Every structure is written in structure tokens, then in C-alpha cells.
Amino acid sequence: MKKVLRVLGFFLIALLGLIALGAGLFAWFVYTPDPKVPPLSATLSKATIEVDGLKRSYRLYLPKSLNKAAPLVLVLHGSGQNGARIRLETGYEFDKLADRHGFAVVYPSAISSDWNDCSRVGDFTFKGREVNDVQFLNALADKLIAENGFDARRVFATGVSSGGLMAMRLALESPSRFRAVAAISANLPVADNFKCKPVGPGASVMLMNGTSDPLMPYAGGESSLFGLFFKGGMVKSAQDSARFFVAHNQIRGNPAKNLASKPERVSKKEQKQFDRILWRDDGKWEVELVTIHDGGHGMPQAAWQRPRLLGPSPMAPNGAALIWDFFARQKPSS
């Protein structure tokens, strides 16, 4: 009997050790504390809209004393998340910028695990049918413009990961609604994995990718985590994705490289952490590639440290500020 108890004791100790090890590994690779909510001029409202027979949800941030005909920015979350999570994981930076520069921010939520982007690979169905997220995001933008008097010529979309891929689909299939988009940690699918039907030029595009992203390979290849999770099929490199949009927007001439950023946005030390290449057709469209040196999966910002599982998490530059600068300099569509 004593021998059995000793064996059980050893087994229990080993089990507790494995549990402690698992908890430690989880804490090291996955857990990260939420950022503090900063002082903001207004509160977030929650609402729904019915599109294509589906009830869709979103969160809207309207700064206090917002001017009429203000710009509208859609911020799209990554796989398996929602609008509340991307607001947190971008460190509330878009809300803070909205207070400072006078624009509105909306955080829509996908209804399937992934946004239905240009990839053929992904989870794009809900209750047995494919979700039309282009229709949803267009309808949401139209609704908010009608209700709040936003400037219909200055509607922008940005997103991280699956949200970034969805932003690129909006640029290709709905350029008449979205003046510019910014895709973070997202590359275009290769031809065999590409299902979008571009309608022509009309939206400026920024790409912001890290060179050490374990999920969205900067040099192109399979989009997945360890080849097992968040599979998105084969994608182009960041450079080839940018060149695709240069050709799509019919921009000619050589790009400007190693662009300087505004002093209030980026210090000299931070400037060395990333490169910017810009193709420009004055008066029409721009394509910009922002390369974050040794950056992992997600938007660089100072308020929130991403899980180590997603690679290095640089706290600079302020990705949201670079994105807003890109949006702000786009001339309103006619």
C-alpha cells in the first residue's frame, strides 16, 4: 500500500510540474497584460446593422466636438478577434489620434473567424454560406456617413493581419468608397490563392510589414503560424505586394526611398528601425511600403507588448500615426 501511495505521490508531483511548466510557457509566449485606457474626449458606442440578412456589430468612437464633414477611419481586427480587441491591441492609438485630428473611428466585427479577403484559403463562412464583407463594410460606411455627415470623399480603412488583407480587398473592389487603405502584417495572395476581382485604380495603399513576422512572411511563402494555425495559403512578398498596387494604380517612375518622417512622430533613433518607400502619382494615388526591421506580427506602438508567439514586438515607430499621416495627405476623391 505504501508503495502505491509513493507512486501516486510521484505521479501527482510530476503532473503538477507539467501543469506549472505549461502555465509558465503560456505566460511567456502568449500572455501579455492589456494596456491602460488613456484619457479620451468621448466614450465608445456599440451598435448593429443588418446586411445581407445578417446582424453585424460595430463600435464607434466620435471625439467630442467633432467637426462636420470629418473623415471616417475603419479599423479591422485579425483572425478570431473582434472590434473591441483590435482597439485594445492598437493601444487606443486611433482614438487618441481622432481626438487630436478630428476624425471618427469605427471598429467593425467579422462574423466568421476571418474577414472574407482576397485569399481562397480561410474560414469565410457563417451558417453554411460565404460572408460578403465588402458589402457589409460599404453599407456600414454609407450608414455612418448618412447619420453623422462624415465626408464621403475621405473614408479610409486599415487593419492588422486578416484585417489588413480585408483592407486590401476594399482597395481593389471598392475604391469608389475607400480613398485609401493601410494593411499591417498582410501580403497579397499569390495568383493561385487570389479570388478578388479588381475594378480599377482609385485607392492609395500603404503596407506595413515586419521582417521577422512568423505568421505573414515578409519575403513571401505560406501564411501560417508554425504551418499549423491561422493558415492563409501562399502569399507574395511585401515588396511584390507593393509593386502589384503600383501597377494596379498605374503609377510610373521610380519610388522615393528612405523618406524622413515628421519630427513629432519619429525620433532619429526610431527612424533607423524602419524604412519607407513611396511611389506617387501626384493628384491621384500613392503606394507606400513601410518595412519594420526585426518586427513581428502586429502594428508597432508603445502602449501594448504583443505576445512573444507573434515574434519581436517593437514599441516604435507609432504605426497608427504613420497611417494617419498617410491618410491625411490623400486628396479627397472627386
Side-chain angles (χ1 to χ4, degrees):
M1 184 67 180
K2 290 182 179 181
K3 185 177 181 180
V4 172
L5 291 175
R6 281 198 301 270
V7 171
L8 290 175
F10 288 138
F11 176 78
L12 180 60
I13 291 172
L15 180 61
L16 292 174
L18 288 173
I19 293 173
L21 178 61
L25 290 173
F26 177 85
W28 177 257
F29 286 107
V30 179
Y31 174 75
T32 182
D34 291 345
K36 294 181 180 179
V37 181
L40 298 170
S41 73
T43 57
L44 199 71
S45 63
K46 302 177 184 178
T48 60
I49 179 176
E50 186 168 323
V51 179
D52 194 27
L54 298 175
K55 188 176 182 180
R56 309 297 299 267
S57 63
Y58 63 92
R59 290 165 167 80
L60 179 65
Y61 183 76
L62 296 177
K64 188 177 181 181
S65 303
L66 190 68
N67 294 329
K68 285 188 176 181
L72 172 64
V73 177
L74 282 70
V75 181
L76 309 178
H77 61 79
S79 297
Q81 298 184 334
N82 57 29
R85 190 65 196 174
I86 192 62
R87 182 178 181 240
L88 182 153
E89 290 191 0
T90 51
Y92 304 95
E93 286 294 337
F94 287 103
D95 292 3
K96 292 191 287 185
L97 288 165
D99 278 347
R100 192 177 310 141
H101 297 285
F103 61 88
V105 188
V106 61
Y107 300 92
S109 293
I111 201 167
S112 58
S113 294
D114 298 319
W115 291 102
N116 192 353
D117 55 60
C118 289
S119 305
R120 295 185 184 278
V121 179
D123 181 7
F124 310 127
T125 61
F126 180 74
K127 293 185 176 179
R129 65 182 176 118
E130 191 166 335
V131 179
N132 190 335
D133 282 321
V134 173
Q135 182 182 9
F136 162 50
L137 296 172
N138 274 277
L140 176 59
D142 290 343
K143 176 179 185 287
L144 295 176
I145 290 167
E147 292 177 347
N148 299 279
F150 300 139
D151 189 344
R153 305 170 304 162
R154 293 189 294 164
V155 179
F156 309 106
T158 184
V160 178
S161 193
S162 175
L165 291 165
M166 188 66 216
M168 289 192 283
R169 183 166 194 173
L170 295 176
L172 293 170
E173 295 190 343
S174 191
S176 61
R177 165 52 61 224
F178 294 92
R179 178 63 187 85
V181 307
I184 306 147
S185 300
N187 292 331
L188 277 172
V190 299
D192 291 345
N193 188 30
F194 187 85
K195 69 182 180 187
C196 282
K197 298 178 180 179
V199 299
S204 294
V205 177
M206 171 189 273
L207 303 177
M208 183 181 295
N209 286 18
T211 60
S212 298
D213 190 330
L215 201 159
M216 184 63 62
Y218 184 87
E222 184 184 16
S223 173
S224 69
L225 191 61
F226 308 130
L228 299 172
F229 309 104
F230 306 113
K231 289 188 174 184
M234 300 297 289
V235 296
K236 297 174 179 287
S237 69
Q239 293 96 331
D240 285 345
S241 296
R243 294 187 191 103
F244 176 96
F245 283 106
V246 171
H248 177 73
N249 283 345
Q250 301 172 11
I251 301 175
R252 295 175 176 82
N254 295 322
K257 298 182 179 181
N258 298 322
L259 301 174
S261 299
K262 293 183 178 181
E264 66 272 22
R265 298 279 188 247
V266 180
S267 68
K268 290 183 178 180
K269 180 180 178 181
E270 292 171 349
Q271 185 74 55
K272 297 179 181 179
Q273 295 178 291
F274 68 102
D275 290 326
R276 297 171 60 201
I277 302 176
L278 176 66
W279 294 262
R280 173 179 288 166
D281 182 351
D282 289 336
K284 290 186 179 180
W285 307 294
E286 294 182 356
V287 174
E288 181 171 349
L289 173 61
V290 180
T291 298
I292 310 297
H293 299 306
D294 198 32
H297 194 75
M299 190 188 80
Q301 40 80 29
W304 186 69
Q305 188 83 27
R306 296 189 296 278
R308 290 181 176 87
L309 195 68
L310 299 179
S313 184
M315 310 302 279
N318 185 329
L322 292 180
I323 290 167
W324 172 246
D325 286 345
F326 178 78
F327 288 163
R329 69 173 182 257
Q330 306 305 316
K331 297 179 179 179
S333 59
S334 57

